[in-house]
Amino acid sequence: MMRFMLPLLLVQVTLLLSLSACAQTAEPAVVRQEINVNLAPESHYLSGNSTLILASGAKKVSFQLAQAAVIEQVAVEGRDAHFSFSNSSLTVDLPHGGNRATLLVKVVYHATFNDPVPEQMVGDEDPTYGVNGTITSQGVFLGGSVGWYPEPSVTPGRRIIRISAPAGTEAVTAGRRVSRSTSQGITSSVWEEAHPVGRLSLSAGPYRIEERVVDGMGVYTYFYPDNADLAPRYLDAAVKYLHFYQELLGPYPFEKFAVVENFLPTGYGFPSYTLLGGTIIRLPFIPDTSLPHEIAHNWWGNGVLVDYREGNWCEGLVTYLADYLLEEKKSAAAGRDYRIRILSDYSALVTPDRDFPLSSFIGRVDPASRAIGYGKGAMVFHMVRTMIGDKAFFGTLREICRERMYRQAAWSDFTRAFSRSAGKDLAPFMAQWLLRPGGPRFALKGVAARQQGTGWAVSGEVAQASPSYEVDLPLRLETAGVPVSRKVAVAREVTPFSIAAPAAPRRLLLDPDAELFRLLSPAELPPTINRIKGSEQLLVVVTKACRASKGTMQLLLASLGQQRAAVIGEGELDSKLLNGRDILFCGVPRSGLLPVLPEGMVISNRDFSLFGERFSSPDDLLFLTLRNPQAEGRVQALFLPLSEAAARQYVPKITHYGSYGYLAFANGENRRKGRFPPLGGGSMVELGKEGTQ
Ligand SMILES: [Zn+2]
C-alpha cells in the first residue's frame, strides 16, 4: 500500500485545484476505486462490494449499476448513508467533508446475470449475439454496459479489481495481474489499472493460462483446454505485434496483454486484452489478421479514445495500421491489392441509399457501414500519408499518442496535427472526405497523342461529377519504353492536362495503383472470381484442350454456384454468343477469343507463366478472370488445369478466393493470387496502334 501514497496525494492536490472551479453539483472526482466480486457460475450469481475514495465537496455521487442488482448497504466514512436506486442509477448523498480532502464510500450489492446463450450462432448482424452479461459454468462474460459493478460517472484515477470464483475458474479483466492463487476451493486474482479508461469488462472460465514476460510486462493466453495447444502460436504473434506497434507508435499504453477465449464467436478488443471466440481462435490466419488488429486498438480506441461527436475514426485507422499495413509490408503489390479491394467493396456494397459521411460512422452494423467506416476511413489515412510522407504521417501518430493517451480525440484533432506536420492547412482536404457521403467519380475525356519533335505529347481532360473534389490525381502513361507517371492537381469538374513522353504512348491509366478513394463505375469493377459466381448470364465453353473431366467440370460449376449455367463445346461457339454474357473457358480457346492478357502473363495449354514464374507440371492449375472487351461490365474466365488430377485437387478451393482476379496452384497449395486494378470505363484510354511497335 505504501507505494501508492505519494502519487495518491499528488492526484488529490490536482483534483482539488480543478474542483474549485467546478460547480457544487458536479460529480466528484474519483481518486481510486476498488471492486471485489465473487462469482457463483452454478447459480449465475455475483456478490460484490466496491470502495471508492472521492474528492470531498460534492453533495452526491451517482453510479450506474444493473437494474436487477440488490443493494445491501451503502456507507460513507463507515456510516450508513442515504441513497436512491432506480432505473440502474444509484445516487448517494454525501455529507459535508469538513476539512477532509477525501471521502470513503462503500457499496455492497448482489445480482444475477443470465443472458441466454444462443445454441446456434448465425450471421454477423449482431456481434454480441444478444449476450452482454452471463455467469454460467460454461463461461462468464460481463460486458462494460451491464452494470456488474457500481460505475461512477467520472472514470477513477486508479482501479483495483479482485475476482474470486470456484477453484479452477480463472478470471481476466483490465489492468496488470497483481496476483493469482487458488486455496480452499477458491481461485482468485487481483488486477490493477494505473490508467483506467472507460468501463470494465470481465471474463472467466476453466482457462488454461500460458504466459511470458516481455520487457517486464506479462503477455498471456487464457484458452479453454481444447485450444490450449494454440497458446504458443498466439504468444509468439502477440509479442511480435506488440513490438511492431511500439516501434511504430510509441510505448504500449497498458500493463499487460492477454488473448482470452470466449464461448461466443466474438472479436472484442478491450484495454489490455482481446476476447476472441473459440471457433475464431482455431482459424489459422487469425494470429496475423484479427490479433494485430485488436492489438493496435490498444493505442487507438482503447488508449486514445474516440470523441464520437465527429464520428468514429478508430476503425479506419486500425484497419489502415493493421489489416492494410501488414499487407503493404509483404509487398507493394499486396498493398495495392488491399486498396483495390476497399474501392471495389465500397462500389459493390454501398448503394446510394446506404451511403453516409464518415463523420456519421459510429460502428459497423452491416457490410455497407463496414465499407464506409473501415474501408473509406482507411483510405483517408492512406491519402494523408501519401500527401505528407511517411515521416510526417507516422511522426504525427506518435505525437497524438503522446499527447492524447487515455483521453478523447476527434477527427479534427487528427486534421490539426497532420496540418502542423505538413505545414499547411489540411482542413479543406479532410472536410471533403469526412463530411460528404460517397466519393469522386473521375473519368478521362478527349485523350489524344501526337508526335512532338523526337517524343510524344498526350493531352486530355480529367472530368469529375459535381460536387468536385480537390486532389492530386495520379496518371500513368504506358509507352513503348518506360512508363511515365504524373500527378494532376484536379479541383474543378474539368481539368486539362498534358504529358510529354519520350517513347510511343500505348495506354493512359487513371490512378492505376488505387492511391485515392473514388467510386468505381460498373465498367471499372475489376474482374474477380466473385463476378463469375454472381453472374446471371454465364456461358461455359469447353475447348478441346480442356483437361478436366465432365464430372470435375460439374464440381467446379457447383462450387461456384453455377450448376445451371449453359455448357457448350468450342465448336458450337459463334461470336454472337459472346455478346452480353460472362464466359468461362476450360482450356485455352482458339486465338482471338480470349481478351488480351495483362502484362506479365503468358499462357498455353501446356504451361503458363505469371510475372516470371513458370508453371508446367501436370500438378499445376491457373484460374484467371479478365474483362470481356466485347461486353462492358462482363467478365471472361479461364480455367486451365494442366491435368485432370490437378483439376480434381484444386477445384474445391477456387471458390474460397472469390475477391481475387487470378489464382495459380502448385504442389498442393495456392502459389500465386492477385487482383486487377479498377480500369476500363473512363479510367483507361488505349492510345491506338500507331504507338505500338
Ligand atoms: Zn476494430
Side-chain angles (χ1 to χ4, degrees):
M1 286 300 282
M2 278 308 287
R3 65 201 180 88
F4 298 129
M5 287 304 284
L6 188 59
L8 197 67
L9 285 173
L10 288 174
V11 170
Q12 281 175 23
V13 171
T14 41
L15 287 174
L16 291 175
L17 287 174
S18 58
L19 269 177
S20 57
C22 294
Q24 282 275 307
T25 52
E27 287 287 326
V30 180
V31 179
R32 173 189 172 99
Q33 180 173 22
E34 295 191 17
I35 299 156
N36 305 296
V37 293
N38 183 19
L39 306 170
E42 296 296 337
S43 49
H44 319 294
Y45 182 85
L46 175 155
S47 61
N49 66 73
S50 181
T51 308
L52 298 99
I53 298 172
L54 310 178
S56 68
K59 290 187 169 160
K60 57 188 176 56
V61 59
S62 45
F63 303 92
Q64 289 289 306
L65 184 62
Q67 190 157 1
V70 175
I71 298 189
E72 296 169 22
Q73 190 203 10
V74 177
V76 179
E77 290 292 321
R79 290 205 196 113
D80 282 352
H82 182 262
F83 67 90
S84 67
F85 182 49
S86 67
N87 289 329
S88 305
S89 177
L90 167 67
T91 304
V92 180
D93 293 343
L94 296 175
H96 203 275
N99 50 8
R100 277 198 213 96
T102 60
L103 285 174
L104 190 74
V105 174
K106 186 173 185 183
V107 180
V108 185
Y109 64 102
H110 64 259
T112 56
F113 293 95
N114 193 16
D115 281 353
V117 178
E119 302 240 320
Q120 274 194 319
M121 318 292 173
V122 201
D124 61 352
E125 290 301 305
D126 177 6
T128 70
Y129 299 91
V131 181
N132 295 302
T134 198
I135 300 174
T136 70
S137 24
Q138 187 188 359
V140 175
F141 173 64
L142 297 170
S145 63
V146 298
W148 60 273
Y149 66 96
E151 185 203 354
S153 27
V154 179
T155 305
R158 192 172 277 267
R159 263 191 309 226
I160 294 167
I161 308 103
R162 295 186 187 84
I163 307 157
S164 56
T169 300
E170 300 280 358
V172 197
T173 187
R176 178 173 73 94
R177 197 179 73 193
V178 179
S179 68
R180 174 184 151 245
S181 61
T182 298
S183 73
Q184 297 178 333
I186 304 279
T187 291
S188 50
S189 56
V190 181
W191 306 82
E192 178 175 347
E193 293 173 287
H195 296 285
V197 281
R199 294 163 152 174
L200 284 168
S201 296
L202 181 158
S203 285
Y207 295 130
R208 301 282 163 81
I209 304 170
E210 296 288 338
E211 53 192 84
R212 295 212 188 133
V213 177
V214 180
D215 304 334
M217 184 181 87
V219 179
Y220 307 96
T221 51
Y222 280 66
F223 286 177
Y224 282 83
D226 281 356
N227 282 339
D229 60 327
L230 296 170
R233 170 94 176 84
Y234 274 85
L235 289 172
D236 286 349
V239 170
K240 174 174 134 187
Y241 290 114
L242 284 164
H243 277 143
F244 174 69
Y245 287 115
Q246 298 215 66
E247 286 269 302
L248 195 69
L249 303 168
Y252 177 70
F254 298 109
E255 300 91 339
K256 65 130 190 312
F257 180 72
V259 187
V260 182
E261 180 170 342
N262 199 3
F263 51 92
L264 294 163
T266 54
Y268 292 143
F270 298 119
S272 82
Y273 71 106
T274 180
L275 187 61
L276 300 177
T279 48
I280 292 170
I281 284 173
R282 283 192 289 279
L283 297 172
F285 47 83
I286 296 298
D288 292 307
T289 54
S290 300
L291 183 68
H293 181 106
E294 299 305 342
I295 288 176
H297 266 308
N298 281 285
W299 279 265
W300 308 113
N302 290 327
V304 179
L305 306 170
V306 176
D307 181 345
Y308 286 94
R309 287 173 301 179
E310 294 178 16
N312 178 356
W313 47 263
C314 90
E315 293 301 349
L317 183 55
V318 167
T319 299
Y320 190 63
L321 296 177
D323 310 54
Y324 169 76
L325 194 59
L326 296 172
E327 284 299 304
E328 192 201 272
K329 277 172 63 70
K330 287 181 198 162
S331 71
R336 187 191 70 155
D337 258 14
Y338 196 96
R339 296 191 298 272
I340 291 171
R341 186 174 160 189
I342 289 178
L343 300 192
S344 309
D345 282 354
Y346 197 100
S347 296
L349 300 169
V350 186
T351 49
D353 58 309
R354 292 208 161 114
D355 210 341
F356 57 80
L358 259 178
S359 57
S360 303
F361 173 72
I362 299 300
R364 151 172 83 92
V365 291
D366 57 19
S369 52
R370 187 190 184 99
I372 297 168
Y374 291 60
K376 184 181 179 182
M379 282 304 288
V380 169
F381 287 103
H382 183 74
M383 290 187 287
V384 172
R385 179 180 164 208
T386 309
M387 190 162 38
I388 71 175
D390 278 14
K391 194 162 168 255
F393 179 76
F394 291 109
T396 305
L397 293 183
R398 278 192 291 277
E399 177 194 307
I400 294 174
C401 282
R402 267 196 315 274
E403 291 182 357
R404 305 201 78 91
M405 193 54 75
Y406 319 117
R407 296 195 292 136
Q408 287 188 346
W411 272 114
S412 52
D413 294 307
F414 283 88
T415 303
R416 263 193 299 278
F418 285 132
S419 298
R420 250 196 328 269
S421 304
K424 68 171 182 179
D425 182 16
L426 300 185
F429 176 83
M430 294 296 275
Q432 57 190 351
W433 304 111
L434 300 181
L435 303 181
R436 296 180 192 169
R441 284 184 192 278
F442 295 117
L444 296 167
K445 291 261 165 74
V447 178
R450 66 194 149 79
Q451 217 152 359
Q452 204 174 47
T454 55
W456 293 75
V458 173
S459 59
E461 291 172 345
V462 174
Q464 60 170 320
S466 178
S468 51
Y469 283 71
E470 210 174 316
V471 292
D472 287 338
L473 181 73
L475 297 182
R476 184 157 71 220
L477 182 63
E478 291 180 352
T479 72
V482 181
V484 181
S485 294
R486 279 279 176 286
K487 281 195 175 171
V488 178
V490 301
R492 278 182 281 278
E493 283 165 38
V494 175
T495 308
F497 66 85
S498 177
I499 302 171
R506 284 184 170 161
R507 287 201 305 178
L508 182 64
L509 310 174
L510 184 151
D511 194 20
D513 293 327
E515 298 286 358
L516 294 179
F517 180 77
R518 64 190 177 94
L519 302 183
L520 306 178
S521 65
E524 281 176 285
L525 280 180
T528 58
I529 291 152
N530 275 342
R531 294 186 57 194
I532 295 289
K533 289 165 79 171
S535 172
E536 285 164 1
Q537 285 280 330
L538 183 67
L539 178 66
V540 183
V541 179
V542 179
T543 69
K544 285 200 188 68
C546 175
R547 304 275 169 87
S549 69
K550 202 172 168 189
T552 308
M553 278 307 288
Q554 277 166 355
L555 270 181
L556 172 71
L557 295 179
S559 75
L560 297 174
Q562 287 289 3
Q563 51 272 65
R564 286 207 295 273
V567 182
I568 61 168
E570 190 179 355
E572 302 164 62
L573 184 66
D574 71 66
S575 58
K576 266 186 277 157
L577 282 172
L578 289 172
N579 290 336
R581 289 172 196 270
D582 302 299
I583 314 279
L584 170 63
F585 288 105
C586 175
V588 182
R590 62 182 185 267
S591 75
L593 285 178
L594 266 191
V596 177
L597 295 178
E599 255 182 53
M601 292 193 180
V602 183
I603 54 171
S604 80
N605 277 313
R606 287 176 308 281
D607 61 359
F608 59 93
S609 70
L610 300 180
F611 315 108
E613 187 176 0
R614 184 159 174 266
F615 297 81
S616 58
S617 148
D619 174 55
D620 301 345
L621 179 146
L622 173 72
F623 197 99
L624 169 67
T625 62
L626 300 162
R627 287 191 171 76
N628 185 341
Q630 299 178 44
E632 183 160 281
R634 297 285 177 191
V635 292
Q636 291 197 9
L638 173 67
F639 172 58
L640 182 63
L642 297 188
S643 69
E644 157 67 8
R648 256 204 325 270
Q649 183 179 8
Y650 302 122
V651 150
K653 300 190 181 206
I654 291 168
T655 183
H656 298 299
Y657 293 86
S659 74
Y660 287 92
Y662 62 89
L663 306 168
F665 291 91
N667 293 328
E669 58 179 21
N670 176 253
R671 282 281 291 280
R672 286 261 188 177
K673 59 181 193 289
R675 299 186 177 90
F676 294 114
L679 291 175
S683 65
M684 180 178 73
V685 174
E686 300 280 356
L687 286 164
K689 293 274 184 254
E690 69 270 30
T692 57
Q693 292 174 341

